[in-house]
Amino acid sequence: MDLTGKKVKIKAKGKIFEGIVMPSVTGSLVLKLDNGYNVGFFDYEILEIEEIEKIESKTSLTKNPELPDVKIISTGGTIASKVDYKTGAVTSQFTAEEIVGDVPELAEICNVDAELLYNILSENMNVKHWIELARNVYSALKKYEGVIITHGTDTMAYTASALAFMISTPKPIVLVGAQRSSDRPSSDAAMNLICSALTATSDLGEVVVVMHATTSDDYCYIHRGVKVRKCHTSRRDAFKSINFIPLGKIDYMKRKIEWFVQDRFKRGERELELKDKMEEKVVLIKFYPGLKPDILEYYYGKGYKGFVLEGTGLGHVSTEWIDVIKKISEDCLIIMTSQCIWGRVCDRVYDTGRYLLKAGVIEGEDMLPEVALVKLMWLLGNYDLEEAKKYVKENLVGEITQSTKYWESMLSFFNSKNK
Amino acid sequence: MQSTTKNAVDYNSVGLKVGIEIHQQLNTKCKLFCKCPTTHRDQEESNFQFFRYLRSKKSEMGEVDKAAVEEVKRSKRFIYLSYDTTCLVESDEEPPREINMEALELSLLIAKMLHMNVVDEVHVMRKIVIDGSNTTGFQRTALIAFDGWIDVGEKIGIATLCLEEEACRKIEDRGSEVVYSLDRLGIPLVEIGTKPDIKTPEMAKKVAAKLGMILRSTGKVKRGLGTIRQDVNISIKDGARVEIKGVQDLDILDKIVEYEVIRQISLLKIKEELIKRGAKVDKKIYDVSEVFKNTKSKILKKAKSVMAIKLEGFSGLVGKEIQPNRRLGTEFADIAKTFGLGGIFHSDELPAYGISEKEVEEVKKRLEAKEGDAIILAAGESERVKKALSRIIERAEQCLLGVPEETRKANEDGTTSYLRPLPGAARMYPETDVPPVKITEEMLKLEIPELIENRAKRYEELGLSKDLALMVAESQFYKLFEEYVKKLPATVVARVIYTVPTELRKEGYDINVLEEKHYRIVLKLIADGKIAKEGAGEVLKKMIENPEMSEEELINSVGGQSGLKELETFIDDLLNEKEELIKERKMGAFKPLMGEVMKVFRGKIDGKVVAEVLKKKLEVKTNIK
């Protein structure tokens, strides 16, 4: 009999204990005692079992006609995680009332509508989830002034890229997450959510990621969805714009946005359009010294049509690979990116690079490898091979910059300007 | 009023019940949930700082804790100082590591010494604390054992023993922001709570002393200021449970209990009087900024807003003393301070502080206050003032009911100040990042160390006085004492490891640089007859100056037994030889003679020692003495 969530009286260690049974992973009986502590028992005798009433808090929301309407779509992850400690189950409730109850400041910025689309960990996301999400966002954009997507941080940047390519948007699409679970008082969830609401109602028309800019609760950055990467396993400021600067920052306490990038996509600039086909037979391969080209042949044999190589330095793999590349590039698309992460690929400097280009490799410019992967899925899903090849080096949604700059100096300049 | 505080109280008839909670830092190598050392740092050594805000969260049971909600209302900014000895775990930027087994085993040992029952499986909990002292907004804590006892003439029950992480050190409270140091956060701590079996202030002190002695007997707890703190739970009949936090000085523990009883009795008397008067509290907060536009009060003049509330029938009682030098009004001021305000003004003390009679009358008029009503004024940023006053209204309403349950802070004089409402059990939920630990038979096979009080008794039998025996038994070098007491008289060993260092510390020497090895050298030199026992102080001084000095150098610096003899013979011969010179120049001969002696003994015997011996002998020779 499952006792979880029930109030019991037990005898253990010659003493009577009363408490509520909590979920256990070790096979012990875990009791939450009246003093709040959980304690595990292996040797006990149950004396009484009692059902307890469920406590429910209810709040209702009133719409403020002065404020814009924003849709929050949840896909799961730390920011949305809510454990029902009575049963141990993860609750799938995600109502606007709950969100605004947790973060009442949202009601001062916008009218919130909420929908729980998925409740999955972000490592379990796949291309099909992206497509369904894109369709969902697309229809929400017809009705709302902006869309916020709560997302696990692990693969948030991939989803951001997928949406950026699939949806031509006239309104902000904001992905937001949390690095510290939202059930703790120090969670970054509330501040990130407030800043994402400010972004969703701002003069913006593209897909962005809004997360803490520093370890302090001072401001959030608005990262372009195709230029951002999670660069730390646990810190609040894990997300960094790579080969670019954040579009802007939001002062948490002042509730104010300061834009760094003036030629971003603005609100109303683009027509709403959805191109939601994706080719799933695309792979990202990280090269390391000694890796044999067999891996290419394997995927080719499995019918893969797109290859993103994460090469060394300016964009290299061993010259051993050239023959295989030459063979498959006839009816495949191969993009070279760099495991340096920072900087632009250039295969015209060394012989290896020149051979690779000749063999059919296309330079991925200053795209992040994972962005190139998503772009390739989208290109192969929507265009024929020759057209797709043409678009690789072309900047479509901000994924490629015209010139490489001292981004970090630019960013610190912007940050020091208004100190 | 003054008389209340001086009357002797019959604790039995007021139904005094006291429970003590002791928090003792453990001297482990690493912190409880990370690999950082447990060392104290100077705030100047901080190499990075950041700030956060905290929010209240629903507990696993769907309730929000009252204490936590109040902290959020105050919405302060918390600044944290980070060091090269702290990591991302303290900064709440990385999940905790598994629980420190050294600390867990030590807590099991202490549980055993207190005759407690240990749980089968330890679960780490998150206890919500959102005053900023924990970066996470909760303190990690685990219940280890329950139901024990100690004997202090009578048996006092021990309810629980918890192992938890120490909070940050508070550096500065700037009102709307608080600065904390991360060096202390995460140091393992045992929290031991007695049952409310204590019936008198004296017994409270005795129990705390005994628990402290037992903890120190493990030899593995931290010593020094702030490493042990007592919380005291006090209630009387018709009063309420009040928790007093952070008593660092054991000597005032009895006084704290005594004053709290007086406070509760006074509050009950105020309640009686209020009910007799038919008093009530007006819940409205009045903005009276207008009245103080041209005030002479500096505080009110520079304030962004001034607001007032009306307590009907409270006149004369707000100024009533309830603890030495603390009035009911002081309790209200405490609340204002927790909201980042400077304090309050109340009509029982006005006109004063630059506030004129006319202004007081004007406020009373606006609030339609009658004779017998009291007015409370607060000033500052309007949101803060509103929040503080609405909380003071709540507190004033509690005056009509008696004593509110609350958490209070111990002041140095034994009085207490309001801190926050009493936290409930709702503020706990599981720390899911730390796996539970099963307590095995093997882990419980622990050898109980000798209690310091028993050790002191043994030392008394060896010939030490009662006080000295206790001091040596308490000393971290007691093992050295046991070793050398086999070779030297107990009094000599005690002098070296306790009396002499204590004297040196009083003279201003930093004896903290002396380690066990230093005392061991001194004892060895005495036991081997290489230095006189009177030379101990001199050698220890040398070691403080240069802790790396070799044994040889040390012996030479104080002459050693044989060196000294050689020196004396040499000087005697020299003085005989230079009789003419001495007759002529008397003590004036010292300088040239010193030169002669040093030619031979330089580098072998310390100059100071040489000078001393020479001077003495010269004095005798010149018949000055």
Side-chain angles (χ1 to χ4, degrees):
Chain A
M1 177 187 178
D2 184 21
L3 292 172
T4 307
K6 296 194 170 61
K7 187 161 181 152
V8 297
K9 192 185 256 186
I10 66 160
K11 195 174 168 186
K13 313 229 161 213
K15 191 178 146 81
I16 305 291
F17 289 92
E18 277 182 60
I20 295 165
V21 181
M22 292 285 136
S24 170
V25 288
T26 56
S28 62
L29 178 78
V30 179
L31 269 198
K32 184 179 183 63
L33 305 176
D34 286 341
N35 63 7
Y37 280 96
N38 287 14
V39 168
F41 294 100
F42 285 101
D43 197 6
Y44 59 88
E45 181 194 337
I46 293 180
L47 303 176
E48 267 174 46
I49 301 169
E50 190 189 319
E51 295 285 340
I52 54 167
E53 276 176 58
K54 211 174 170 175
I55 310 149
E56 273 185 49
S57 57
K58 273 196 181 125
T59 43
S60 58
L61 289 177
T62 44
K63 199 168 156 166
N64 182 346
E66 310 269 298
L67 295 176
D69 296 346
V70 167
K71 174 86 174 268
I72 303 183
I73 300 170
S74 176
T75 65
T78 303
I79 192 165
S81 64
K82 270 225 168 92
V83 180
D84 181 347
Y85 293 97
K86 256 179 280 170
T87 62
V90 178
T91 49
S92 53
Q93 279 179 322
F94 186 80
T95 63
E97 284 79 10
E98 265 191 332
I99 301 166
V100 176
D102 266 3
V103 190
E105 294 96 321
L106 290 176
E108 296 162 15
I109 301 166
C110 56
N111 295 307
V112 172
D113 256 343
E115 182 188 343
L116 180 81
L117 184 60
Y118 312 122
N119 199 354
I120 52 176
L121 296 166
S122 78
E123 60 271 27
N124 293 331
M125 281 257 181
N126 59 39
V127 179
K128 290 187 180 64
H129 290 114
W130 296 344
I131 294 169
E132 193 188 348
L133 177 62
R135 288 176 184 159
N136 208 289
V137 172
Y138 173 76
S139 49
L141 284 171
K142 291 177 183 165
K143 206 177 142 200
Y144 297 90
E145 293 313 305
V147 171
I148 296 171
I149 301 157
T150 67
H151 200 290
T153 53
D154 279 13
T155 70
M156 185 192 281
Y158 289 82
T159 304
S161 283
L163 294 177
F165 288 110
M166 285 193 274
I167 309 171
S168 158
T169 176
K171 293 170 183 173
I173 300 172
V174 186
L175 284 100
V176 65
Q179 287 283 80
R180 304 257 76 76
S181 62
S182 51
D183 56 354
R184 60 171 73 200
S186 62
S187 171
D188 50 334
M191 171 171 153
N192 291 347
L193 209 50
I194 290 166
C195 290
S196 69
L198 291 163
T199 310
T201 53
S202 72
D203 185 14
L204 183 74
E206 56 180 286
V207 179
V208 291
V209 166
V210 169
M211 290 289 287
H212 262 62
T214 75
T215 189
S216 289
D217 290 339
D218 45 8
Y219 50 92
C220 279
Y221 277 143
I222 303 168
H223 300 279
R224 175 167 277 171
V226 286
K227 278 293 186 196
V228 68
R229 182 175 241 234
K230 184 179 183 181
C231 292
H232 197 279
T233 57
S234 62
R235 269 166 61 167
R236 286 167 174 73
D237 57 351
F239 282 81
K240 303 284 178 207
S241 282
I242 307 285
N243 291 325
F244 201 48
I245 54 168
L247 297 179
K249 75 173 177 187
I250 308 140
D251 191 308
Y252 170 51
M253 274 293 145
K254 291 189 186 136
R255 309 268 193 269
K256 224 183 117 225
I257 299 181
E258 184 192 330
W259 295 105
F260 297 155
V261 176
Q262 298 311 325
D263 65 348
R264 64 187 185 276
F265 290 107
K266 306 231 172 70
R267 187 178 283 274
E269 194 176 318
R270 289 188 289 181
E271 290 293 323
L272 180 62
E273 201 188 330
L274 177 70
K275 275 191 176 161
D276 60 1
K277 289 193 193 68
M278 296 287 258
E279 172 55 64
E280 288 190 46
K281 295 254 177 208
V282 177
V283 65
L284 170 62
I285 298 168
K286 182 168 186 152
F287 174 80
Y288 57 85
L291 183 66
K292 300 281 177 234
D294 310 7
I295 191 85
L296 289 182
E297 287 179 300
Y298 167 80
Y299 279 111
Y300 185 72
K302 290 267 173 190
Y304 276 68
K305 301 188 176 71
F307 294 80
V308 176
L309 304 181
E310 199 176 311
T312 57
L314 283 166
H316 303 125
V317 288
S318 158
T319 42
E320 263 185 82
W321 284 41
I322 288 164
D323 284 342
V324 181
I325 288 175
K326 213 180 269 170
K327 196 177 95 191
I328 68 172
S329 69
E330 296 272 314
D331 54 353
C332 284
L333 208 162
I334 307 165
I335 304 178
M336 179 62 76
T337 62
S338 173
Q339 49 196 251
C340 292
I341 303 303
W342 286 94
R344 197 177 295 266
V345 166
C346 181
D347 278 316
R348 283 158 287 121
V349 179
Y350 297 100
D351 280 346
T352 307
R354 288 188 279 266
Y355 297 146
L356 285 169
L357 289 180
K358 230 171 162 182
V361 164
I362 302 173
E363 294 159 311
E365 297 288 329
D366 65 343
M367 275 190 287
L368 281 163
E370 58 272 23
V371 173
L373 173 82
V374 174
K375 183 176 181 178
L376 191 48
M377 288 176 173
W378 184 77
L379 288 175
L380 293 174
N382 293 284
Y383 303 95
D384 64 42
L385 187 62
E386 286 317 304
E387 248 183 317
K389 277 184 178 170
K390 205 176 69 196
Y391 284 133
V392 170
K393 293 180 75 166
E394 212 166 286
N395 175 33
L396 303 177
V397 293
E399 76 279 17
I400 293 170
T401 63
Q402 283 310 303
S403 43
T404 318
K405 298 188 172 159
Y406 288 102
W407 302 114
E408 68 283 5
S409 314
M410 254 168 95
L411 182 56
S412 52
F413 173 74
F414 279 125
N415 274 327
S416 61
K417 216 171 54 171
N418 289 325
K419 267 255 159 91
Chain B
M1 277 174 274
Q2 197 60 34
S3 61
T4 356
T5 57
K6 286 205 175 130
N7 277 352
V9 178
D10 177 357
Y11 294 107
N12 196 21
S13 70
V14 299
L16 175 65
K17 277 188 189 171
V18 181
I20 297 175
E21 229 175 60
I22 289 211
H23 301 87
Q24 169 73 64
Q25 287 179 9
L26 305 182
N27 198 18
T28 50
K29 189 164 162 275
C30 301
K31 289 186 173 176
L32 193 52
F33 293 108
C34 71
K35 305 290 179 194
C36 288
T38 59
T39 41
H40 174 94
R41 299 301 300 269
D42 202 86
Q43 62 182 100
E44 268 77 48
E45 296 171 311
S46 168
N47 55 16
F48 177 63
Q49 66 177 60
F50 58 91
F51 71 84
R52 302 264 169 75
Y53 304 96
L54 293 176
R55 299 176 155 253
S56 171
K57 287 285 161 186
K58 285 177 188 157
S59 88
E60 66 201 86
M61 308 310 292
E63 302 156 48
V64 179
D65 182 43
K66 222 162 78 181
V69 169
E70 182 164 321
E71 286 292 344
V72 160
K73 275 198 202 152
R74 298 177 196 161
S75 65
K76 287 182 183 179
R77 173 194 288 223
F78 304 114
I79 299 167
Y80 298 100
L81 304 183
S82 165
Y83 303 86
D84 55 5
T85 49
T86 60
C87 70
L88 292 191
V89 173
E90 286 101 327
S91 306
D92 186 41
E93 283 279 49
E94 192 179 74
R97 306 291 186 89
E98 289 189 20
I99 197 164
N100 177 345
M101 287 309 282
E102 185 190 3
L104 180 59
E105 273 164 27
L106 186 48
S107 68
L108 292 175
L109 174 68
I110 294 165
K112 203 168 173 186
M113 292 169 83
L114 299 174
H115 318 98
M116 303 181 82
N117 283 318
V118 174
V119 301
D120 292 341
E121 191 177 58
V122 172
H123 285 252
V124 179
M125 305 296 291
R126 297 169 170 179
K127 189 198 279 181
I128 297 290
V129 183
I130 52 174
D131 60 0
S133 60
N134 289 75
T135 45
T136 48
F138 51 74
Q139 179 187 31
R140 296 186 183 96
T141 174
L143 180 62
I144 304 293
F146 52 89
D147 270 2
W149 52 266
I150 55 166
D151 192 347
V152 281
E154 57 187 277
K155 261 192 187 178
I156 299 289
I158 305 295
T160 53
L161 183 147
C162 299
L163 178 61
E164 48 191 42
E165 51 181 5
E166 176 68 293
C168 286
R169 206 153 47 81
K170 195 191 255 187
I171 302 287
E172 195 190 344
D173 192 336
R174 300 174 185 159
S176 59
E177 53 183 29
V178 186
V179 185
Y180 285 107
S181 178
L182 291 177
D183 60 337
R184 209 181 69 177
L185 180 63
I187 293 177
L189 190 78
V190 284
E191 184 204 81
I192 298 162
T194 73
K195 293 181 178 167
D197 293 351
I198 302 164
K199 302 280 158 47
T200 65
E202 296 70 40
M203 185 56 82
K205 194 168 164 176
K206 220 168 159 182
V207 168
K210 177 94 181 192
L211 281 172
M213 184 276 297
I214 292 172
L215 288 166
R216 287 192 304 278
S217 295
T218 63
K220 286 175 186 166
V221 299
K222 289 220 184 260
R223 305 272 193 112
L225 195 72
T227 58
I228 183 164
R229 293 188 303 278
Q230 281 93 19
D231 292 351
V232 194
N233 278 294
I234 304 170
S235 69
I236 61 169
K237 205 166 58 198
D238 301 323
R241 187 164 84 85
V242 164
E243 182 184 43
I244 295 165
K245 284 255 171 215
V247 185
Q248 294 207 7
D249 186 358
L250 192 64
D251 284 338
I252 60 163
L253 196 68
D254 46 350
K255 213 171 182 181
I256 282 181
V257 176
E258 193 186 319
Y259 285 176
E260 177 57 24
V261 172
I262 290 169
R263 197 183 71 95
Q264 296 205 9
I265 292 172
S266 305
L267 287 174
L268 290 172
K269 280 187 185 155
I270 288 175
K271 172 196 155 190
E272 260 171 56
E273 176 64 24
L274 286 172
I275 286 169
K276 217 171 17 182
R277 291 187 190 178
K280 64 179 208 221
V281 178
D282 179 356
K283 287 198 178 137
K284 200 176 158 201
I285 297 168
Y286 299 82
D287 192 326
V288 292
S289 309
E290 192 82 354
V291 180
F292 297 97
K293 244 179 171 171
N294 297 307
T295 183
K296 290 210 171 72
S297 159
K298 278 183 194 147
I299 300 167
L300 296 188
K301 189 153 191 165
K302 70 171 187 209
K304 283 184 189 144
S305 70
V306 185
M307 296 191 200
I309 55 169
K310 181 172 65 173
L311 310 179
E312 295 173 22
F314 275 65
S315 176
L317 295 175
V318 183
K320 187 175 158 67
E321 193 170 74
I322 54 173
Q323 268 188 344
N325 291 317
R326 289 183 52 88
R327 286 152 294 277
L328 181 57
T330 324
E331 302 267 293
F332 296 158
D334 289 343
I335 293 172
K337 281 175 191 159
T338 62
F339 283 90
L341 301 181
I344 56 138
F345 297 108
H346 60 83
S347 49
D348 286 355
E349 57 177 0
L350 297 175
Y353 312 110
I355 300 173
S356 70
E357 174 125 39
K358 218 179 118 200
E359 285 163 345
V360 176
E361 284 314 311
E362 180 58 29
V363 172
K364 282 190 177 169
K365 211 174 101 193
R366 290 192 180 214
L367 271 64
E368 294 170 17
K370 292 188 218 52
E371 184 79 37
D373 293 352
I375 303 289
I376 308 287
L377 285 173
E381 188 254 312
S382 84
E383 268 314 294
R384 259 175 217 290
V385 174
K386 263 189 222 158
K387 283 177 185 167
L389 283 177
S390 71
R391 180 66 187 87
I392 291 173
I393 288 171
E394 249 177 68
R395 177 65 188 86
E397 285 175 324
Q398 285 165 336
C399 289
L400 300 165
L401 302 171
V403 184
E405 285 197 337
E406 61 192 23
T407 304
R408 303 180 63 83
K409 175 182 85 190
N411 300 324
E412 271 173 30
D413 62 357
T415 63
T416 55
S417 313
Y418 171 78
L419 204 60
R420 53 178 177 256
L422 205 60
R427 59 181 198 161
M428 294 259 209
Y429 63 112
E431 170 53 273
T432 42
D433 296 342
V434 179
V437 182
K438 191 176 170 179
I439 304 298
T440 60
E441 290 288 318
E442 203 55 37
M443 287 162 89
L444 291 171
K445 279 184 198 150
L446 296 158
E447 201 182 314
I448 290 185
E450 182 186 32
L451 288 183
I452 289 170
E453 60 184 19
N454 295 342
R455 194 187 298 150
K457 270 182 211 139
R458 274 200 299 120
Y459 292 176
E460 258 183 85
E461 282 158 23
L462 290 172
L464 298 186
S465 72
K466 194 173 175 185
D467 285 349
L468 188 58
L470 189 61
M471 290 306 175
V472 174
E474 282 267 12
S475 161
Q476 55 178 318
F477 304 120
Y478 78 89
K479 280 185 183 150
L480 201 58
F481 174 84
E482 307 231 335
E483 188 182 330
Y484 273 91
V485 85
K486 291 171 196 147
K487 301 172 192 163
L488 290 166
T491 47
V492 172
V493 188
R495 247 190 82 73
V496 172
I497 68 161
Y498 178 75
T499 319
V500 173
T502 309
E503 285 165 5
L504 289 178
R505 195 187 56 226
K506 282 182 193 147
E507 285 170 38
Y509 287 92
D510 178 17
I511 62 164
N512 291 330
V513 303
L514 296 176
E515 297 165 21
E516 193 194 280
K517 65 175 185 191
H518 295 114
Y519 292 109
R520 181 182 295 280
I521 290 173
V522 179
L523 287 168
K524 183 169 161 264
L525 292 178
I526 296 173
D528 294 352
K530 286 188 178 154
I531 60 167
K533 64 179 193 289
E534 291 78 11
E538 215 39 59
V539 176
L540 288 172
K541 277 188 208 168
K542 289 283 162 206
M543 287 168 156
I544 291 167
E545 280 163 27
N546 179 6
E548 299 309 318
M549 214 178 235
S550 72
E551 270 179 49
E552 194 109 324
E553 284 172 300
L554 288 166
I555 296 168
N556 288 337
S557 71
V558 293
Q561 293 284 39
S562 58
L564 215 55
K565 245 173 228 156
E566 204 179 306
L567 176 72
E568 283 180 15
T569 323
F570 181 85
I571 291 176
D572 285 341
D573 291 350
L574 185 72
L575 294 188
N576 287 334
E577 201 180 296
K578 302 280 179 179
E579 223 156 293
E580 284 296 310
L581 178 82
I582 297 165
K583 253 187 201 156
E584 196 182 304
R585 303 199 28 199
K586 304 270 181 201
M587 285 309 283
F590 177 82
K591 222 174 156 188
L593 290 174
M594 183 70 189
E596 293 284 325
V597 185
M598 286 310 282
K599 265 186 210 162
V600 179
F601 287 92
R602 178 168 288 122
K604 288 183 192 160
I605 296 180
D606 189 75
K608 273 186 226 154
V609 178
V610 174
E612 209 167 304
V613 177
L614 177 62
K615 204 170 149 204
K616 239 179 230 166
K617 290 198 181 280
L618 192 60
E619 277 168 359
V620 175
K621 197 86 183 171
T622 51
N623 293 323
I624 288 170
K625 261 196 174 171

